Amino acid sequence: MPSIRRIAACAASAFMAAAMLCTGVAYADEPYDGYNYDWYGDPIPSQNGYVVEKVVTGKDIGCGDLNTPSDMFISDSDEIYIADTAYSGTLDSNMKGRIVITDSKFKLINAIEYLDFSEVGEWLKKREDAMNAGTLDQSRYAKETSVYFKGPTGVFVADDDMIYVADNENERVVAFYAEKDGSGIGYGRVVAVYTRPEEDVFDQTQTFNPSKVLIDAAKNVYIVIDSTTKGALVFSREGEFNGYFGANRVEKTGEVVMNAFWKLIFTREQIIRMQRNVPVEISNFDIDSDNFIYTVTETKNSETDILKKLNSAGTNIFVKLGFDTYTFGDFLTKYYRGKTYSSRITDVDIGENGVINLLDLETGRIFQYSNECDLMFIFGGTGTQKGTFTTVNAVESLGNNVFVLDGRKNSVTIFGRTEFGAIVHEAITLFNTGKYADSIGPWNEVLCRDSNYWWAYVGLGNAYLNQNDFETAMDYFYYNSRGGYNEAFKGWRMAFIRENFTLFAIIIVVLLAAIYVISSIRGRQRAKKRAIADMLLREQQKKEE
Amino acid sequence: MRFDLDLPAWKWPFYVMRHPFEGFEDLRWKKAYNMKVAMVIVALFFIVSVCEQLMTGFLFDFMNVKIFNVVPIVIQSIVLFFTWVVGNWALCTLFDGEGTMKNICVNTAYALVPFIIGKVVNIILSNCLLRTESAFITFVSYITILWSVILLISGMRTVHQYSIPKTLLFMIITILAMVVIIILLVLLVSLFQQVYVFVYSIYTELLYRFSNLEPTTLILIFIGAAVVLVAVVVTAYTLFEKYQLKKEMAKLRTK
């Protein structure tokens, strides 16, 4: 008969094995470590807000392999558009690139392989006349009227499902509706073509290779080209060039300051010969539901204007306010295994509730910010595993998912939100919509799961500050937010003085009285001393006489 | 000059503080230089510097120190003070300065008093003021620094009996001398570090060789070896000296 002890041992071991098996199944590690930044700007480990759900390749979509896709867009009707840049089709040896259209589950709807210009005959005629008159280059005419794409690098879909494609090497932006011909091959029914502006404002020696395109509510077309630092080119709906939008500022480096100094001394000729300080060109943009345009700048060496939120006048709303500055991407430049890493933000996406996703080309990371620029999550990385990337090109979000397009792996990685991520999102959304009291619960839950999560403290502080609970707010803001602490301390100090006014008044009156009494006593003592000294002196003088 | 001054030693710094120009003259005349008071002031300077880092209000704490370290503060207060004293003394004795090391030390310490008081006031203010009221803190720190600098100039002038331009010139040169002293100190420290590393590597080497021995025994052996080495050197030297003496004696005798 087995002893009770043996039975217990067996049961315990079985239970432990089961537990181990269970954790083995449930344990899914990500190839990247979640981290976040604290108030000091130091990176600290944190929980992952997003984990990989699925990786989708061209074969999964059902359209053959993708080849160096460089842009992705999710329309209002939840259709996904991918600019498959280097795709070489079977229709013609000249074609390079297509637009793949899928639904939100990545099921193929259409793949635009060629264009149909029959609806813009008038425009075609004009172009032909211009070519015949000699004002338009023959090769440019051929490019602009080509029925095939050549390296499309940007895609945007307006709310009426009109597709805008930045056809990079063909020097044009085409606007078309997706159609299907008899044999089932997708084609674009072209509605408008935007070509190189002929106005003098645009320097004619510059190349015109549209890399990204965007449409605002008034159907103005914004085009990013790599060759200008003046900002995005703005075209009206009819195709007239209206000027530039959203140029960056020149960063105040030591060199710039020195140049400004030399300019004071140099002669005109010398100044002309000097190297000019130009800002870095913007590299990508997105538009939110309130018609604000967000631009990003892909650069290693600059800190200014990495992310800008522009109103319709082109003014940046994300500016430095008071003591707090906005920093985007990784705070520090890291040197690791013979390579320096420093953030190069290549794409921006505005998701639900104004959540900002920034994509870092250098480290393959996605930085997710709330609409108030509070860093929420960092996920992704470089590598060959699921959830890491080699050359990230585009980020988009739909609902709780974040999609990242990798141009080297030719795949789309779908990230899903974790429970932790959902709680943080809930808290930030509640807070930013003004429901401060409701956000206390989720924020506390966040702190239970990750006590290092900086913004939870700031959020709680703000929530308590809003309820005029200054002391608690001060506790939460202490070494977490200087601005918040300032406000909380202001309130606390006011309340403190108001409550103890009589005490303060009494102390001040007593102090003043004490000072008066002591000084008068000391004055009298001094006078007495001096009188005695005088007397002694006089007596001495008398004696001498 | 007041000749009837009869103050206790601890009151002198405050008297000097309130009389920037003739205070030091009185101090000199009365020969009231007190090293104990000076050392107390230097200690206070150090303590207040520590307090500044630990107790400054969050709104005005721009040092962003996550982990407190006392060594930089020791260097910034005590080491800096004594390098100033040594540097100034070393220079000015060569250029007709009348100050002794003690007098320079005392005068410099007394000149620091407003600066220390300003720091204390700022620590208190930084816990009571808002960010928008930071002008008060800036004001206090500027005023007290200016006051201390004036006191220092006056003190140096009096202690060396220099003219004002000469004082200023030698204060600037003193700063250069301090730089030199600090460089030499750093060099010395790094050299001693090397010696330490050398000794420590021998120790570890022996530890590996004689792994059957206890580390404490090894240390004792080590000390013993060092003592033996020193003894051998000393005896050899004394023997050598005796030999030399003998030679001299022999020479004298032959003469």
Side-chain angles (χ1 to χ4, degrees):
Chain A
M1 193 185 136
S3 67
I4 286 180
R5 198 186 274 176
R6 183 172 277 184
I7 291 171
C10 275
S13 61
F15 176 74
M16 275 164 76
M20 269 174 81
L21 215 69
C22 280
T23 50
V25 171
Y27 188 66
D29 201 3
E30 297 303 316
Y32 50 86
D33 295 320
Y35 69 101
N36 211 313
Y37 284 95
D38 65 357
W39 181 75
Y40 294 92
D42 294 334
I44 39 171
S46 173
Q47 289 205 31
N48 275 325
Y50 283 85
V51 290
V52 187
E53 264 184 10
K54 207 163 72 173
V55 178
V56 177
T57 61
K59 280 199 179 106
D60 298 332
I61 295 171
C63 64
D65 278 332
L66 300 173
N67 194 351
T68 333
S70 54
D71 201 9
M72 181 169 57
F73 187 81
I74 297 178
S75 71
D76 294 345
S77 49
D78 291 353
E79 282 166 356
I80 299 166
Y81 295 74
I82 297 170
D84 190 7
T85 305
Y87 169 79
S88 50
T90 48
L91 292 177
D92 192 288
S93 61
N94 208 11
M95 74 177 290
K96 184 185 166 198
R98 61 173 171 172
I99 307 298
V100 177
I101 307 171
T102 73
D103 65 3
S104 58
K105 299 274 186 301
F106 284 96
K107 240 174 81 189
L108 186 69
I109 293 176
N110 204 345
I112 311 292
E113 304 214 0
Y114 67 94
L115 298 167
D116 174 25
F117 283 92
S118 57
E119 261 186 42
V120 284
E122 212 174 294
W123 175 82
L124 262 179
K125 182 108 191 1
K126 250 190 222 166
R127 285 326 246 177
E128 206 176 340
D129 288 347
M131 185 189 64
N132 291 336
T135 49
L136 184 64
D137 214 327
Q138 200 159 358
S139 62
R140 241 184 76 197
Y141 172 79
K143 276 180 186 172
E144 283 172 3
T145 59
S146 164
V147 293
Y148 299 113
F149 294 115
K150 201 166 187 196
T153 52
V155 58
F156 192 93
V157 183
D159 44 14
D160 56 351
D161 276 345
M162 195 180 335
I163 306 165
Y164 291 78
V165 171
D167 199 0
N168 189 289
E169 286 165 49
N170 274 340
E171 303 184 8
R172 65 178 177 183
V173 169
V174 278
F176 56 84
Y177 289 106
E179 304 284 351
K180 257 186 189 173
D181 63 10
S183 53
I185 298 172
Y187 72 97
R189 184 157 55 80
V190 178
V191 180
V193 182
Y194 302 90
T195 55
R196 166 195 276 275
E198 308 292 342
E199 284 82 352
D200 287 338
V201 189
F202 186 78
D203 185 0
Q204 292 301 324
T205 57
Q206 273 172 3
T207 55
F208 180 79
N209 293 103
S211 61
K212 301 288 169 197
V213 62
L214 180 147
I215 317 300
D216 70 2
K219 293 279 161 24
N220 289 317
V221 182
Y222 296 75
I223 299 170
V224 170
I225 62 173
D226 293 336
S227 56
T228 185
T229 57
K230 290 176 190 164
L233 275 66
V234 185
F235 288 78
S236 72
R237 187 181 195 165
E238 288 75 34
E240 262 173 63
F241 178 56
N242 282 352
Y244 297 98
F245 181 81
N248 284 339
R249 295 168 300 166
V250 178
E251 187 169 69
K252 279 195 203 78
T253 56
E255 199 191 338
V256 172
V257 176
M258 263 328 268
N259 280 354
F261 168 72
W262 287 126
K263 267 185 193 167
L264 294 174
I265 303 169
F266 280 178
T267 60
R268 221 183 138 73
E269 286 77 25
Q270 282 171 316
I271 289 174
I272 289 167
R273 272 197 208 168
M274 245 167 72
Q275 203 179 4
R276 280 175 61 214
N277 297 115
V278 288
V280 190
E281 72 274 5
I282 61 172
S283 56
N284 210 332
F285 45 24
D286 197 9
I287 190 162
D288 71 359
S289 49
D290 298 329
N291 222 22
F292 285 105
I293 292 176
Y294 297 71
T295 68
V296 287
T297 305
E298 183 186 316
T299 171
K300 259 186 179 183
N301 311 317
S302 175
E303 298 263 303
T304 48
D305 295 339
I306 293 297
L307 174 69
K308 290 189 297 181
K309 181 181 183 179
L310 302 168
N311 60 13
S312 53
T315 320
N316 187 8
I317 296 173
F318 288 159
V319 284
K320 187 173 155 183
L321 290 171
F323 286 78
D324 302 318
T325 51
Y326 293 126
T327 319
F328 300 103
D330 275 326
F331 288 2
L332 304 166
T333 303
K334 277 270 177 257
Y335 183 79
Y336 180 66
R337 289 198 180 160
K339 207 178 163 210
T340 341
Y341 292 94
S342 109
S343 280
R344 274 164 70 194
I345 305 299
T346 186
D347 195 10
V348 55
D349 165 68
I350 312 302
E352 269 179 18
N353 300 319
V355 165
I356 304 164
N357 296 303
L358 295 183
L359 189 62
D360 181 5
L361 179 67
E362 190 81 14
T363 56
R365 287 184 188 129
I366 298 100
F367 295 86
Q368 191 172 60
Y369 296 84
S370 77
N371 58 349
E372 306 276 332
C373 285
D374 320 324
L375 180 62
M376 291 197 286
F377 299 112
I378 303 170
F379 53 98
T382 49
T384 48
Q385 290 160 289
K386 263 187 185 179
T388 55
F389 310 100
T390 42
T391 312
V392 286
N393 275 338
V395 60
E396 283 294 327
S397 62
L398 181 64
N400 298 336
N401 291 327
V402 173
F403 303 86
V404 179
L405 181 71
D406 191 316
R408 190 74 62 80
K409 286 172 152 183
N410 300 325
S411 63
V412 179
T413 306
I414 305 168
F415 287 94
R417 207 164 67 180
T418 60
E419 210 177 322
F420 180 67
I423 296 166
V424 172
H425 273 257
E426 189 196 345
I428 283 191
T429 318
L430 280 173
F431 183 76
N432 285 343
T433 47
K435 291 168 187 153
Y436 303 110
D438 296 350
S439 72
I440 290 177
W443 277 134
N444 276 324
E445 180 66 28
V446 170
L447 282 188
C448 285
R449 284 159 188 264
D450 179 6
S451 58
N452 280 332
Y453 200 82
W454 174 34
W455 271 106
Y457 291 99
V458 180
L460 277 171
N462 276 316
Y464 283 110
L465 177 63
N466 203 262
Q467 297 174 3
N468 285 345
D469 186 351
F470 298 120
E471 216 151 323
T472 323
M474 271 161 70
D475 279 349
Y476 279 114
F477 281 136
Y478 193 64
Y479 281 95
N480 283 317
S481 163
R482 202 168 263 147
Y485 189 85
N486 193 48
E487 291 304 307
F489 183 64
K490 196 178 180 178
W492 179 83
R493 197 180 65 169
M494 204 62 218
F496 182 75
I497 291 173
R498 226 176 253 161
E499 274 169 26
N500 301 301
F501 182 75
T502 40
L503 186 73
F504 279 117
I506 288 167
I507 288 173
I508 288 169
V509 167
V510 166
L511 266 178
L512 284 177
I515 289 169
Y516 175 74
V517 168
I518 289 170
S519 62
S520 64
I521 287 171
R522 284 180 96 186
R524 234 173 274 161
Q525 277 176 347
R526 251 180 227 160
K528 229 183 243 173
K529 253 188 199 170
R530 219 167 277 163
I532 290 166
D534 279 357
M535 217 165 69
L536 286 172
L537 205 73
R538 243 174 271 149
E539 273 174 17
Q540 217 171 354
Q541 278 170 350
K542 262 182 202 168
K543 265 181 201 167
E544 277 167 16
E545 275 169 16
Chain B
M1 229 179 272
R2 278 171 63 188
F3 300 110
D4 58 335
L5 266 180
D6 202 17
L7 296 174
W10 66 271
K11 269 191 179 176
W12 268 104
F14 299 101
Y15 174 74
V16 165
M17 191 177 91
R18 281 181 289 124
H19 304 80
F21 297 106
E22 57 178 28
F24 285 109
E25 296 284 352
D26 290 341
L27 194 68
R28 185 180 148 80
W29 181 260
K30 281 282 187 184
K31 293 200 176 63
Y33 296 108
N34 192 318
M35 211 48 186
K36 273 181 205 158
V37 175
M39 287 305 106
V40 168
I41 290 171
V42 173
L44 275 179
F45 180 39
F46 168 67
I47 291 165
V48 168
S49 300
V50 171
C51 288
E52 193 189 21
Q53 204 167 85
L54 291 179
M55 289 157 74
T56 300
F58 169 50
L59 291 177
F60 296 95
D61 179 18
F62 294 110
M63 295 195 222
N64 291 353
V65 182
K66 212 172 183 179
I67 298 159
F68 176 73
N69 185 1
V70 82
V71 174
I73 303 177
V74 172
I75 289 167
Q76 275 164 30
S77 55
I78 294 175
V79 173
L80 214 61
F81 176 84
F82 284 108
T83 34
W84 167 272
V85 171
V86 171
N88 194 280
W89 174 79
L91 260 171
C92 294
T93 38
L94 295 180
F95 291 93
D96 307 332
E98 291 184 7
T100 61
M101 187 96 95
K102 180 188 166 188
N103 295 359
I104 294 168
C105 186
V106 170
N107 273 13
T108 314
Y110 285 12
L112 279 177
V113 173
F115 185 54
I116 296 168
I117 291 173
K119 270 191 174 184
V120 173
V121 170
N122 274 349
I123 291 169
I124 294 164
L125 278 184
S126 72
N127 283 297
C128 307
L129 296 183
L130 297 177
R131 249 171 13 175
T132 43
E133 297 151 1
S134 64
F136 291 103
I137 285 178
T138 330
F139 175 75
V140 168
S141 62
Y142 281 175
I143 288 288
T144 50
I145 287 170
L146 190 72
W147 198 348
S148 271
V149 168
I150 289 172
L151 279 181
L152 193 63
I153 294 169
S154 167
M156 291 299 110
R157 189 187 69 83
T158 321
V159 81
H160 293 307
Q161 294 290 298
Y162 280 170
S163 62
I164 294 263
K166 200 175 175 187
T167 316
L168 290 176
L169 178 71
F170 275 96
M171 280 170 79
I172 291 163
I173 300 175
T174 305
I175 290 166
L176 295 179
M178 281 164 76
V179 172
V180 173
I181 290 172
I182 285 167
I183 288 170
L184 287 177
L185 274 180
V186 169
L187 212 68
L188 203 72
V189 167
S190 65
L191 273 175
F192 269 102
Q193 184 123 17
Q194 300 248 334
V195 171
Y196 168 75
V197 168
F198 170 69
V199 173
Y200 187 75
S201 60
I202 290 177
Y203 171 71
T204 41
E205 183 68 29
L206 290 177
L207 210 61
Y208 287 136
R209 283 283 158 86
F210 306 102
S211 49
N212 53 341
L213 285 178
E214 289 284 315
T216 40
T217 349
L218 204 63
I219 290 172
L220 285 177
I221 292 171
F222 213 66
I223 293 168
V227 168
V228 167
L229 194 74
V230 170
V232 166
V233 169
V234 167
T235 39
Y237 184 73
T238 34
L239 284 176
F240 178 71
E241 224 171 20
K242 266 185 186 167
Y243 169 72
Q244 290 280 15
L245 257 174
K246 241 180 208 171
K247 249 174 138 182
E248 292 284 313
M249 295 291 268
K251 249 186 209 171
L252 280 174
R253 242 172 249 153
T254 47
K255 271 180 187 175

